[in-house]
Amino acid sequence: MSATSSAPPAPADSAAAENDFLAPDSGLKPAGPTPSQSRFQVDLVAEAAGAAEDRSLSSDASTTAPSSDKATPAAPPDVPDPGAGGEEAKGRFRVVNFADPSAAGSPASPDAAPTEGFQNGDTVMSETSLHSSTGGQHHYHYDTHTNTYYLRTFGHNTIDAVPNIDFYRQTAAPLGEKLIRPTLSELHDELDKEPFEDGFANGDELTPAEEAAAKEAAESKGVVKFGWVKGVLVRCMLNIWGVMLFIRMSWIVGQAGIALSCLIVAMATVVTTITGLSTSAIATNGFVRGGGAYYLISRSLGPEFGGSIGLIFAFANAVAVAMYVVGFAETVVELLAGVDAIMTDEINDIRIIGTITVILLLGISVAGMEWEAKAQIFLLIVLITAIFNYFIGTFINVESKKPMGYFGYHGAIMWENMGPDFRQETFFSVFAIFFPAATGILAGANISGDLADPQLAIPRGTLLAIVITGIVYLGVAVSTGSCIVRDASGNANDTLNTLSAQFMNCTDAACKLGYDFSACKSDDSCKYGLQRDFQVMSLVSGFGPIITAGIFSATLSSALASLVSAPKVFQALCKDNIYPGLSMFAKGYGKNNEPLRGYILTFGIALAFILIAQLNIIAPIISNFFLASYALINFSVFHASLANSPGWRPSFKYYNMWVSLAGAILCCVVMFVINWWAALLTNVIVLALFIYVSYKKPDVNWGSSTQALTYHQALTHTLHLSGVEDHIKNFRPQCLVMTGYPNSRPALLDLVHSFTKNVGLMICGHIRMGYRRPNFKELAADQTRYQRWLLKSETKAFYTPVYAEDMRQGTQYLLQAAGLGRLKPNTLVLGFKNDWRDGDMMNVETYITMIHDAFDSQFGAVILRLKEGLDVSHIQGQDELLSSQEKSSGMKDVIVSIDTSKDSDADSSKPSSKATSLQNSPAIQKDDDDDGKAPTQPLLKKDKKSPTVPLNVSDQRLLEASQQFQKKQGKGTVDVWWLFDDGGLTLLIPYLLTNKKRWQDCKIRVFIGGKINRIDHDRRAMATLLSKFRIDFSDITVLGDINTKPKKEHVAAFEEMIEPYRLKEDDMEQEAAESLKNSEPWRITDNELELYRAKTNRQIRLNELLKEHSSTANLIVMSLPLARKGAVSSTLYMAWLEALSNELPPIILVRGNHQSVLTFYS
């Protein structure tokens, strides 16, 4: 759409001067941006421009023209380009560079703006002129003539856009051009900062199929589109007025009587009216594309429901073609039999006539929608003529018709036929026979893609068709019941003499009119009357052959509507690629995108069922398929209203969520009333297709009400949970795992996921640090990408990245803010810092302080150590794990790279003094995905196309170790060294772990400390406690020699390890020692070393015991030693952890927050 100019056009002479100034031979072409410039660049406004604003409105109007997606050839500025508007309108609004118009003739004027980027004050260069696709050569195209003028809307120069419908269109929308509003970055960022390209907002992405469909729709010229009468009303009326109107309605009145017949019609009309209201609500809640019932259901309830219903709905329409054609063929065969013109036998004649008919119908359909619509109009005229012919006939009293039961309107006949007279039928069996006549209300919606305005046409046409057809059905029911008796012999001699004794015993309505048909009640030879003659409407009508023409019209029109509906629905289904094997049917041909392949498939299905020529079994299944669609359309409206999504805003207001729910239930009830086994079969098929689509998880996002309701329920339950106090029995380990990028430490991710999956919360924390300003947009993109990676790898966790100055600050952010309500972490999980002796020792200070911060926040702490290390991000080839389509080209963060020689497992973004190059870290800048499969696949894939570098031995071991928790553990042990009571977390984690399938064959062995003279007593006490906790264990070992002094060589090795980090204050002056300690707080003082000598020896001794008892364990769970904050230096604490966990199988050091997490009370 063109933005309306708020300023009058510039005077002609001014425009001429400007055009002369911008002429190519003037030598003042605006230069393209230099590499240092942004494409979004505002030049300074010359001082004289302010004065010029008072003189001329032409200079103060800032025109902003969107750029095209392709480079636009240069055009002289004074020659308007009529096609430019449409092409240019696909791009972005851009900033105007303002210059003094008065300087047009004097480029050298000191008041003129700089020549670089110099432009006319009223003109903006398109993006194509700034960034030409031809490389160094720039085209200059001035957009003063486009339909997207952007002037001084609010009295000042701005690129901020006013509301415009074209901003809200999807890509290549069929109803207009897609424009992209200026991004927040373009309006908000500093001018020297490169703005980032925006993609679509959440939920605006189109699937490739939708983009292709939209593009086809946009490019097509001369497309035939129908209004509400021809497109919806005519189709629905033809489909609803089936053959049932002429050959079954009178029989239904004979069986059920006038009153119950009206009730049957009313019940069917209620179901279809409610469904019509629901259809109208969905159809007016946004733009409707082709696909009818499938499109409405899939976009409302999601691909699972839509995909299952779409397939059976398309199939039902295809089989309905056969049903209607066979109905037509049967009528023709009856006529042939009447004149003794049967070709072979009745069944084969039906097959021959049916085949010829369906071929002719296919020809009409393939000829195009316009021809099909013309045929429908003709058939409707015939049908309406037949109906009028019948009603006129009811007022013509012909004496010769009386023996056949027709007497004209008479109160006695009406009163006699008011009540039911069921013969071998019940109310519900009669209802089941009638109800298929009421189906067909979706005939208009099924060609929604061919409607000029589906939002107007579908509600108006569908509801009006239901009203008109319902009135006609009621009219036929009342009129037939008022002028035709139930039984008649057809014998003109069955008259009554008013003086005979027979007259005295005759009580029927016919008796009062001079005829006695009482013998027919016990004699099956009578062939006339409501109960006996299906063709009674032909008898009543003014001219019988017109009724036959009406029957032909009803059957052929319904067959034609179904033959068009099935391929259209099937094409929409295939375009969405819900069932990958059916994508070949998505292709359309011609200007109307006709699904010719779908027509051939529908023809094949219809022909197969026509050749059966016996549709008594398949007919109820078709009705049930239609009813299942109706039920889901009604349920869609209820579901969308229940979800209370802001996006549910139908312009059609005459619906109610509870009425729609009642309609859905009614449809299900009617399904079972019509045919219970067919209803069961329908439900089984829908369920099977639903499970299949759910399992395949098609990559579509249609903003369905299922998503909205999931959010609504999650929010409600989270708020409800927040009002409930925690209880020990409900304690769950909710872990904040410092993984960095989730795929950089697979062992840490897999192990924690093993005991939190379906039990507790898991948040993958990632602290991003760098020398550049935080790029929050990139952070959001990373969060989306890696959350998707977690979902695809079936890891039930959340990825939460934060920007921070350092690791400690980032950890504090996460400890305080991660989670929501009760869904907040209570346990911090870290990887052991293997490289703590190699880098800057302040990193060790930060690492230990993170543990202290966790305890200060009342968190538990867990540290995992593998002797091979945890971080695999530096290994070449890891970047192949991220799906190529998810890679981001905009990842430009400058972060110090990972030290590849050692493990730095606190976080992938941690600075390392050994690797200080300002290169992008492979761990951080390459998005490592494992292409959406389960985490049991190999971590490192080999690409045949790219040469692979052989891994060194340490990296090979690291890769193997990183995958060890992805495998089934087999028969082994989980050794729990529960030395200190931390509330039970040290025991709870291994219990949860061994409940999982991968760990279920492992036995828990418990090790506790004790005194040598009380070993049996301590073992019994622990066994009693574990049994009360209902935790299975295979063995309990009481260690009486924990306090034995460690071996001298191990003590010496410890002393050697900490030697470089000692303060040695005794060898220097006190002031110098204090100064050094302040600048390097990690230094170990002689005093603290002596003070904690016993604790140091205990860690060394415990390592000896661990090697003695648990060297073959699958996993060791050990109580984490505590260090008093401010008393023990970070390096000494780190040395304790190193000494304790050195050269062991996988070990996790656990310390709860000393609040009970286990209880033996019920």
Side-chain angles (χ1 to χ4, degrees):
M1 291 214 173
S2 58
T4 310
S5 170
S6 58
D13 56 346
S14 171
E18 288 163 2
N19 282 338
D20 290 338
F21 170 69
L22 289 167
D25 57 2
S26 67
L28 283 170
K29 284 182 183 177
T34 64
S36 63
Q37 281 183 305
S38 162
R39 64 170 172 74
F40 171 70
Q41 184 76 40
V42 181
D43 290 336
L44 292 174
V45 182
E47 290 178 8
E53 278 187 47
D54 299 330
R55 298 193 305 271
S56 169
L57 284 171
S58 68
S59 63
D60 65 19
S62 138
T63 333
T64 311
S67 66
S68 92
D69 295 326
K70 303 171 189 172
T72 310
D78 53 341
V79 180
D81 177 7
E87 179 67 21
E88 290 280 287
K90 294 180 185 172
R92 295 180 179 277
F93 285 111
R94 286 289 169 259
V95 165
V96 173
N97 292 336
F98 301 105
D100 180 14
S102 63
S106 171
S109 164
D111 290 333
T115 57
E116 183 180 358
F118 194 74
Q119 293 189 23
N120 181 328
D122 283 331
T123 314
V124 61
M125 282 169 49
S126 68
E127 186 179 278
T128 45
S129 54
L130 290 176
H131 294 281
S132 169
S133 60
T134 57
Q137 181 183 1
H138 289 274
H139 300 292
Y140 300 101
H141 186 81
Y142 297 96
D143 301 314
T144 48
H145 55 272
T146 65
N147 62 349
T148 50
Y149 260 179
Y150 205 78
L151 303 178
R152 286 180 46 176
T153 312
F154 298 108
H156 63 280
N157 296 314
T158 177
I159 63 158
D160 216 351
V162 294
N164 187 336
I165 189 174
D166 295 317
F167 293 139
Y168 296 90
R169 296 194 191 283
Q170 292 178 321
T171 306
L175 298 180
E177 298 291 351
K178 162 77 175 174
L179 296 184
I180 301 176
R181 68 180 63 80
T183 65
L184 190 61
S185 300
E186 289 171 344
L187 296 171
H188 175 258
D189 287 356
E190 298 94 326
L191 292 180
D192 61 342
K193 185 173 180 179
E194 183 69 23
F196 294 89
E197 291 294 332
D198 264 359
F200 294 112
N202 281 345
D204 280 351
E205 298 96 336
L206 287 181
T207 61
E210 284 178 320
E211 281 202 27
K215 193 172 182 181
E216 284 172 7
E219 290 173 354
S220 58
K221 303 291 180 186
V223 174
V224 177
K225 295 288 185 182
F226 303 117
W228 70 273
V229 175
K230 192 189 283 189
V232 181
L233 181 66
V234 169
R235 287 172 194 281
C236 288
M237 285 166 58
L238 281 170
N239 239 23
I240 296 170
W241 280 333
V243 71
M244 206 67 69
L245 176 65
F246 295 107
I247 63 175
R248 283 292 183 276
M249 197 65 220
S250 56
W251 175 85
I252 288 168
V253 175
Q255 289 281 348
I258 296 173
L260 290 184
S261 295
C262 291
L263 179 63
I264 286 171
V265 173
M267 284 171 59
T269 307
V270 165
V271 172
T272 54
T273 302
I274 293 172
T275 308
L277 294 172
S278 298
T279 305
S280 303
I282 299 174
T284 58
N285 190 51
F287 179 72
V288 178
R289 286 199 178 89
Y294 161 71
Y295 187 88
L296 298 178
I297 294 171
S298 63
R299 274 21 176 216
S300 297
L301 288 177
E304 295 84 5
F305 282 108
S308 53
I309 278 296
L311 202 59
I312 66 167
F313 189 70
F315 179 75
N317 272 290
V319 179
V321 176
M323 187 173 74
Y324 294 127
V325 168
V326 168
F328 167 78
E330 282 180 352
T331 310
V332 174
V333 169
E334 282 180 16
L335 290 174
L336 292 175
V339 294
D340 198 23
I342 295 291
M343 290 177 277
T344 54
D345 56 71
E346 284 195 12
I347 291 291
N348 284 321
D349 279 12
I350 289 171
R351 289 171 179 159
I352 293 166
I353 294 167
T355 302
I356 294 169
T357 306
V358 79
I359 290 171
L360 291 174
L361 292 177
L362 178 69
I364 294 172
S365 301
V366 171
M369 290 295 290
E370 188 63 26
W371 280 97
E372 189 264 349
K374 288 174 182 175
Q376 294 281 32
I377 293 289
F378 170 74
L379 292 172
L380 181 67
I381 292 169
V382 173
L383 193 56
I384 291 174
T385 304
I387 292 170
F388 274 110
N389 177 47
Y390 160 73
F391 279 112
I392 291 168
T394 60
F395 292 99
I396 303 172
N397 200 348
V398 180
E399 195 67 28
S400 62
K401 295 181 181 179
K402 288 185 178 179
M404 300 176 190
Y406 168 61
F407 295 94
Y409 289 102
H410 200 282
I413 296 176
M414 183 177 183
W415 184 250
E416 182 181 83
N417 289 338
M418 192 61 71
D421 181 18
F422 292 114
R423 301 178 190 177
Q424 299 176 339
E425 299 289 345
T426 64
F427 174 79
F428 287 112
S429 67
V430 173
F431 176 76
I433 289 167
F434 171 76
F435 189 81
T439 59
I441 59 168
L442 295 181
N446 285 340
I447 62 156
S448 53
D450 295 295
L451 299 175
D453 185 1
Q455 289 184 292
L456 171 73
I458 291 174
R460 187 179 290 179
T462 304
L463 294 173
L464 190 57
I466 291 170
V467 170
I468 293 171
T469 53
I471 290 170
V472 170
Y473 274 125
L474 288 172
V476 170
V478 172
S479 65
T480 52
S482 301
C483 60
I484 308 166
V485 295
R486 281 192 167 104
D487 302 284
S489 63
N491 188 349
N493 296 323
D494 286 346
T495 56
L496 274 179
N497 189 337
T498 54
L499 300 176
S500 68
Q502 192 181 4
F503 177 75
M504 305 302 293
N505 297 327
C506 186
T507 58
D508 291 343
C511 300
K512 298 174 184 176
L513 299 169
Y515 283 84
D516 180 15
F517 300 132
S518 55
C520 287
K521 291 186 180 178
S522 56
D523 184 6
D524 289 339
S525 62
C526 295
K527 295 182 179 178
Y528 296 98
L530 293 176
Q531 291 271 27
R532 313 279 180 154
D533 185 10
F534 289 154
Q535 302 288 343
V536 73
M537 286 181 71
S538 296
L539 171 72
V540 173
S541 65
F543 184 60
I546 294 182
I547 294 293
T548 305
I551 294 172
F552 289 172
S553 171
T555 50
L556 291 178
S557 64
S558 297
L560 196 54
S562 297
L563 186 58
V564 169
S565 295
K568 294 280 185 184
V569 173
F570 196 57
Q571 182 186 35
L573 179 72
C574 295
K575 276 185 177 178
D576 288 334
N577 207 23
I578 302 293
Y579 303 100
L582 303 177
S583 55
M584 61 177 289
F585 293 103
K587 183 171 175 59
Y589 296 88
K591 63 183 181 181
N592 264 38
N593 197 30
E594 294 289 350
L596 295 186
R597 294 176 181 178
Y599 281 127
I600 301 301
L601 179 67
T602 304
F603 170 76
I605 294 170
L607 191 60
F609 282 95
I610 286 169
L611 294 178
I612 294 171
Q614 295 288 337
L615 291 179
N616 292 338
I617 294 174
I618 202 70
I621 296 179
I622 296 173
S623 296
N624 276 288
F625 280 180
F626 285 134
L627 277 166
S629 305
Y630 296 172
L632 276 182
I633 287 176
N634 284 314
F635 184 71
S636 298
V637 172
F638 169 74
H639 200 267
S641 302
L642 185 67
N644 201 23
S645 169
W648 174 247
R649 304 184 300 274
S651 55
F652 182 84
K653 301 299 182 186
Y654 304 104
Y655 72 94
N656 180 277
M657 62 183 286
W658 300 109
V659 172
S660 295
L661 179 63
I665 295 169
L666 264 175
C667 289
C668 294
V669 170
V670 171
M671 284 171 69
F672 283 91
V673 165
I674 289 176
N675 190 315
W676 66 266
W677 63 262
L680 279 178
L681 181 64
T682 303
N683 286 322
V684 167
I685 294 172
V686 171
L687 187 64
L689 291 171
F690 179 88
I691 291 169
Y692 171 79
V693 178
S694 301
Y695 175 74
K696 296 295 285 184
K697 291 186 176 67
D699 188 19
V700 293
N701 180 12
W702 294 324
S704 66
S705 61
T706 308
Q707 294 173 357
L709 190 61
T710 302
Y711 173 85
H712 185 265
Q713 290 173 336
L715 184 62
T716 304
H717 291 155
T718 305
L719 288 168
H720 179 69
L721 195 62
S722 298
V724 179
E725 288 295 323
D726 284 331
H727 193 280
I728 299 172
K729 287 194 294 185
N730 293 327
F731 176 85
R732 297 161 185 266
Q734 305 198 118
C735 298
L736 171 59
V737 191
M738 306 303 288
T739 57
Y741 282 101
N743 50 0
S744 59
R745 290 171 180 77
L748 186 62
L749 188 79
D750 293 333
L751 182 66
V752 178
H753 186 244
S754 294
F755 64 82
T756 58
K757 182 181 180 182
N758 297 329
V759 174
L761 176 70
M762 178 177 173
I763 295 177
C764 296
H766 183 191
I767 300 160
R768 304 278 298 264
M769 301 174 299
Y771 303 130
R772 229 182 69 160
R773 286 172 296 185
N775 181 354
F776 292 106
K777 188 170 180 183
E778 184 183 311
L779 196 73
D782 269 0
Q783 181 171 16
T784 303
R785 183 161 53 253
Y786 282 100
Q787 189 62 53
R788 191 181 299 130
W789 181 87
L790 287 168
L791 289 171
K792 285 187 176 179
S793 61
E794 296 180 6
T795 304
K796 298 185 177 180
F798 298 94
Y799 172 63
T800 306
V802 294
Y803 270 114
E805 295 293 327
D806 56 36
M807 284 290 295
R808 184 184 181 188
Q809 186 188 64
T811 306
Q812 287 174 338
Y813 290 165
L814 290 169
L815 289 171
Q816 293 174 72
L820 182 70
R822 289 271 180 236
L823 300 177
K824 288 181 74 71
N826 54 30
T827 307
L828 178 68
V829 183
L830 301 168
F832 185 79
K833 188 172 175 59
N834 276 9
D835 65 343
W836 67 277
R837 285 175 284 178
D838 299 326
D840 184 353
M841 293 310 293
M842 286 307 293
N843 291 338
V844 177
E845 180 77 17
T846 302
Y847 180 79
I848 298 302
T849 312
M850 287 162 57
I851 301 173
H852 289 312
D853 289 339
F855 292 139
D856 287 343
S857 303
Q858 291 297 298
F859 273 56
V862 175
I863 300 174
L864 170 65
R865 180 172 189 181
L866 304 184
K867 56 188 173 187
E868 298 87 358
L870 292 172
D871 190 357
V872 299
S873 56
H874 61 274
I875 298 175
Q876 184 183 12
Q878 281 298 99
D879 56 309
E880 295 167 16
L881 294 174
L882 189 67
S883 302
S884 58
Q885 70 269 22
E886 291 185 1
K887 288 195 176 183
S888 167
S889 58
M891 313 246 324
K892 299 174 183 175
D893 229 353
V894 181
I895 300 177
V896 290
S897 67
I898 300 303
D899 175 5
T900 56
S901 61
K902 292 282 183 178
D903 228 20
S904 178
D905 286 324
D907 197 285
S908 60
S909 306
K910 191 161 67 258
S912 166
S913 59
K914 273 202 170 184
T916 53
S917 64
L918 295 178
Q919 302 298 321
N920 294 341
S921 162
I924 298 160
Q925 305 313 333
K926 293 182 179 177
D927 303 346
D928 316 341
D929 204 339
D930 71 357
D931 59 35
K933 296 182 182 175
T936 52
Q937 65 176 350
L939 194 65
L940 189 64
K941 297 192 308 179
K942 292 185 179 178
D943 188 356
K944 292 178 183 177
K945 296 179 182 177
S946 61
T948 55
V949 179
L951 298 175
N952 60 41
V953 177
S954 63
D955 281 349
Q956 188 62 46
R957 285 179 185 163
L958 173 58
L959 269 182
E960 290 171 2
S962 68
Q963 299 171 49
Q964 62 182 307
F965 298 132
Q966 297 174 0
K967 306 168 189 168
K968 191 170 175 63
Q969 294 300 307
K971 292 186 178 179
T973 63
V974 175
D975 289 357
V976 182
W977 291 65
W978 196 17
L979 303 180
F980 306 103
D981 193 336
D982 59 350
L985 187 63
T986 309
L987 196 58
L988 181 62
I989 288 176
Y991 165 75
L992 294 173
L993 207 56
T994 52
N995 272 352
K996 301 298 180 183
K997 194 173 181 181
R998 287 182 191 165
W999 292 84
Q1000 65 186 6
D1001 294 335
C1002 293
K1003 304 294 184 185
I1004 294 178
R1005 298 194 303 180
V1006 179
F1007 296 82
I1008 58 171
K1011 295 181 180 177
I1012 292 179
N1013 58 353
R1014 290 172 53 108
I1015 286 179
D1016 288 340
H1017 175 271
D1018 291 342
R1019 183 184 289 114
R1020 283 196 300 272
M1022 179 53 63
T1024 303
L1025 181 60
L1026 292 177
S1027 63
K1028 285 191 173 185
F1029 285 150
R1030 303 170 303 285
I1031 292 176
D1032 293 330
F1033 59 92
S1034 63
D1035 188 29
I1036 296 175
T1037 304
V1038 181
L1039 304 166
D1041 51 351
I1042 287 181
N1043 291 324
T1044 307
K1045 285 192 176 181
K1047 294 178 182 177
K1048 289 183 180 177
E1049 60 268 27
H1050 294 153
V1051 175
F1054 182 84
E1055 294 287 351
E1056 184 182 347
M1057 177 174 65
I1058 64 170
E1059 180 64 28
Y1061 314 116
R1062 293 181 59 180
L1063 182 62
K1064 298 182 180 177
E1065 67 270 26
D1066 294 342
D1067 298 342
M1068 62 178 75
E1069 293 181 6
Q1070 183 179 355
E1071 189 176 331
E1074 288 176 358
S1075 174
L1076 183 59
K1077 179 68 173 172
N1078 288 335
S1079 61
E1080 298 178 351
W1082 43 266
R1083 291 273 180 194
I1084 304 170
T1085 63
D1086 296 340
N1087 184 39
E1088 70 170 310
L1089 195 57
E1090 194 59 40
L1091 186 61
Y1092 294 106
R1093 176 71 62 186
K1095 197 163 187 175
T1096 300
N1097 288 341
R1098 188 189 305 142
Q1099 312 312 321
I1100 301 170
R1101 176 60 183 157
L1102 281 172
N1103 182 257
E1104 294 173 356
L1105 292 170
L1106 283 162
K1107 288 176 180 174
E1108 179 184 338
H1109 293 283
S1110 298
S1111 58
T1112 59
N1114 293 51
L1115 180 69
I1116 301 170
V1117 182
M1118 180 85 179
S1119 291
L1120 174 69
L1122 280 180
R1124 191 171 295 280
K1125 188 169 58 172
V1128 180
S1129 61
S1130 58
T1131 313
L1132 180 58
Y1133 189 28
M1134 198 73 216
W1136 286 351
L1137 301 182
E1138 173 72 35
L1140 176 64
S1141 59
N1142 190 33
E1143 294 299 323
L1144 289 171
I1147 179 170
I1148 53 175
L1149 304 172
V1150 180
R1151 177 68 72 154
N1153 63 359
H1154 286 247
Q1155 294 177 3
S1156 296
V1157 299
L1158 295 171
T1159 180
F1160 43 77
Y1161 294 108
S1162 59

